[in-house]
Amino acid sequence: MKRVVVTGMAGITSLGETTDDIFAQFHAGKSGIRYMPEWEQYVDLRTKLAGQVQSFHVAKHFNRKVMRGMGRVALMSVISAENALQDAHLLDSSLLKSGDVGVAFGSSAGSVDAIREFGNMLIDQDMSKINATTYIRMMSHTSAVNMTVYFGLKGLTLPTSSACTSGSMAIGQAYEAIKYGKQTIMIAGGAEELSAVGAAVFDVLLATSRMNDQPEKSPRPFDANRDGLVIGEGAGCLILEEYEHAIQRGAKIYAEIVGYASNTDGQHVTKPDTEMMGRCMQMALKDAHLDASQIDYVNAHGTSTDQGDIAESQATARILGRKPISSLKSYFGHTLGACGAIEAWLGIEMMNRGQLVPTLNLDEIDPQCGDLDYITQQIRVSNINIMMSNNFAFGGINTSLIFKRLT
């Protein structure tokens, strides 16, 4: 079995694009959630909150020809991948087109604008809005495919579209592709673009926050007074590499992936199963050859829904014991297909900085949640070596990743 390490990281969030910028916001207790006045047109939409990326840097070489097949989700994905490759000192490498480099990248869906173009055909019997790129921008594997074309990749393409585990599953599958010797390097992660449609998915389930007049107070993962999730957008990308290859070329190593597991509840599409969540964590521990006592910190899924928070926290406490835990969704909202990748990226950064970011707005821990060491109020300085990052999705799809800091 090959060892797998992280040699590059990048992303786009509602709090910035660099780790220094994002951590400055963490230290200031700032949230990326804002009120969305443009959603007022949707009268029946209860929530008007979102973690919107209001701007991100698009380099000049992303001209009209390059971007013609990219919707917003694909553009954020490719930019994040380019920045991660630059971080890994691989952007100009001949390896990219050798067949030894692949991509595993996911999102819940493609771009909503492209879906609207097909919608015009179905509703108005008018095909004038459809063009040669409409499907490319709409398809669920738009990010992965745009990457292969943009970078000229010839290796594996593993598109993951599993709702809220799209990003974490992509990282897990990329890890396994290298672990079992199929690829040397993998570009891995996830992305999602914001839309009122994405909010409506949860709104009809009565799972969204209605604190529209206090965007900075929501979401509130694990809090007794939480009233639902807030959706967001962004992208996260990790460059995974076979350990010996990384050492040979003198690469900077951020962390080693030592464990991954995924399973499914097999019971209900939207109701989480705490038993299967726990089993997934156990499977990841087994894959990593670790005992639960060796986990120093848990990067929670923490969506701020009643059922999800309770099921997840109880499973975590049952399997791992009273571990330090926090949820980054309190800052960015639920970025759906991007969340697993963004949380892995920033979780690794937390581990390397020795700074555990607290859950924002967690003022009163819900007594129904599991007995855990919830990090609140301020950043906790802590020397951690092993982190578990968990994500859970509609369809009962569970993922658990374990990262180790190399000292």
Side-chain angles (χ1 to χ4, degrees), residues 145-208:
V145 167
N146 271 288
M147 281 183 199
T148 63
V149 173
Y150 182 79
F151 297 114
L153 304 177
K154 304 292 192 295
L156 281 172
T157 300
L158 302 172
T160 53
S161 184
S162 56
C164 319
T165 56
S166 298
S168 52
M169 184 174 285
I171 293 169
Q173 290 192 2
Y175 154 74
E176 291 182 339
I178 298 172
K179 179 180 179 179
Y180 297 120
K182 297 187 181 224
Q183 298 279 242
T184 303
I185 296 168
M186 290 290 288
I187 302 169
E192 205 77 63
E193 68 176 60
L194 187 66
S195 72
V197 172
V201 168
F202 299 95
D203 208 60
V204 296
L205 296 173
L206 305 178
T208 52

Side-chain angles (χ1 to χ4, degrees), residues 71 81 122 226 238 250 260 287 332 356 367 389:
L122 294 173
R226 67 194 180 281
L238 305 183
Y260 165 68
D287 184 56
F332 305 118
L356 300 183
S389 192

Side-chain angles (χ1 to χ4, degrees), residues 168-327:
S168 52
M169 184 174 285
I171 293 169
Q173 290 192 2
Y175 154 74
E176 291 182 339
I178 298 172
K179 179 180 179 179
Y180 297 120
K182 297 187 181 224
Q183 298 279 242
T184 303
I185 296 168
M186 290 290 288
I187 302 169
E192 205 77 63
E193 68 176 60
L194 187 66
S195 72
V197 172
V201 168
F202 299 95
D203 208 60
V204 296
L205 296 173
L206 305 178
T208 52
S209 173
R210 303 183 203 178
M211 299 176 68
N212 297 320
D213 58 343
Q214 294 181 296
E216 74 283 355
K217 295 294 185 182
S218 191
R220 311 174 66 86
F222 309 117
D223 191 86
N225 298 308
R226 67 194 180 281
D227 75 329
L229 61 78
V230 175
I231 69 162
E233 66 176 340
C237 184
L238 305 183
I239 305 303
L240 307 189
E241 189 169 349
E242 192 272 320
Y243 174 75
E244 295 295 342
H245 186 273
I247 292 294
Q248 188 174 22
R249 71 178 186 89
K252 177 180 179 179
I253 295 175
Y254 288 98
E256 180 177 4
I257 303 184
V258 294
Y260 165 68
S262 180
N263 67 359
T264 45
D265 296 349
Q267 295 188 55
H268 198 279
V269 175
T270 59
K271 184 179 180 181
D273 184 334
T274 187
E275 292 299 324
M276 294 307 294
M277 286 175 166
R279 187 176 298 180
C280 185
M281 296 178 210
Q282 286 178 315
M283 291 164 60
L285 288 169
K286 182 178 180 180
D287 184 56
H289 303 287
L290 291 173
D291 185 79
S293 63
Q294 293 173 275
I295 302 297
D296 299 315
Y297 165 71
V298 181
N299 197 336
H301 190 56
T303 61
S304 194
T305 61
D306 288 342
Q307 288 188 355
D309 283 4
I310 292 169
E312 173 187 4
S313 61
Q314 289 182 353
T316 306
R318 187 173 65 252
I319 302 304
L320 301 181
R322 199 174 188 275
K323 298 293 182 179
I325 188 170
S326 61
S327 169

